[in-house]
Amino acid sequence: MSKKRKRYGLVAVLGVGVALAGWIYQSHVWELAGSTPIASQEELRAALARGAVIVDVRTDSEVQREGALLVPGATHSSLLSLPKELESLPRDRPIVPYCRSGGRAGHVAQMLRNHGFEALNGGGVAELKEIVEAIDRRPASSVPKSGI
């Protein structure tokens, strides 16, 4: 076998090893953080009726790319910046993080719970947007007062 082939073989083995180590580390970190399952529609409606704060935890580039998929009334705080902004979140209302499909939102909801917040995993943007818009379309007499 030529030296060139041996070198490429070694690089491929090292690349696979590094990828595997990264996967193990990332899996372990998420395992330590835990995750909250996606809340039911009933749980989300009840939280929204109580004035829940909806937080989009997608990356800045995702929000720019998918701007039409914003949930009405939501604020944006990317997954990376949210831990620095915990003090600005209210503790008297539920926090409902959401992302593209609900995976990252589950980890954020668990992190918030670990810090003493009431948090629900809002799931994916399309589903949560549908729930919020359905609430916004109800006649005023059927919308519960949130006391905000």
Side-chain angles (χ1 to χ4, degrees):
M1 188 183 290
S2 72
K3 284 186 177 183
K4 193 174 186 179
R5 275 193 170 159
K6 286 182 183 177
R7 191 175 325 152
Y8 285 127
L10 179 61
V11 168
V13 168
L14 287 174
V16 169
V18 167
L20 182 59
W23 177 79
I24 290 169
Y25 172 76
Q26 186 177 20
S27 297
H28 181 65
V29 167
W30 286 122
E31 183 180 307
L32 290 175
S35 184
T36 301
I38 295 174
S40 70
Q41 287 190 5
E42 293 78 27
E43 291 171 314
L44 290 170
R45 283 188 184 104
L48 293 168
R50 291 181 40 227
V53 176
I54 305 170
V55 182
D56 183 342
V57 296
R58 294 176 295 162
T59 64
D60 294 337
S61 61
E62 281 179 287
V63 171
Q64 290 170 353
R65 189 174 54 244
E66 302 161 0
L69 291 176
L70 294 176
V71 173
T75 61
H76 176 252
S77 182
S78 73
L79 181 64
L80 298 175
S81 63
L82 189 63
K84 298 176 224 163
E85 299 171 5
L86 290 180
E87 294 304 316
S88 66
L89 294 173
R91 291 189 178 268
D92 60 340
R93 296 186 288 164
I95 310 294
V96 179
Y98 73 92
C99 60
R100 177 108 177 124
S101 63
R104 289 171 286 178
H107 295 296
V108 170
Q110 187 60 50
M111 179 203 59
L112 290 168
R113 287 179 174 197
N114 292 345
H115 283 87
F117 290 91
E118 178 185 352
L120 295 151
N121 178 354
V125 61
E127 296 81 11
L128 185 59
K129 182 178 181 180
E130 188 176 298
I131 291 169
V132 170
E133 288 176 344
I135 289 171
D136 288 346
R137 286 192 299 265
R138 289 189 301 183
S141 61
S142 68
V143 177
K145 302 214 183 293
S146 64
I148 299 175

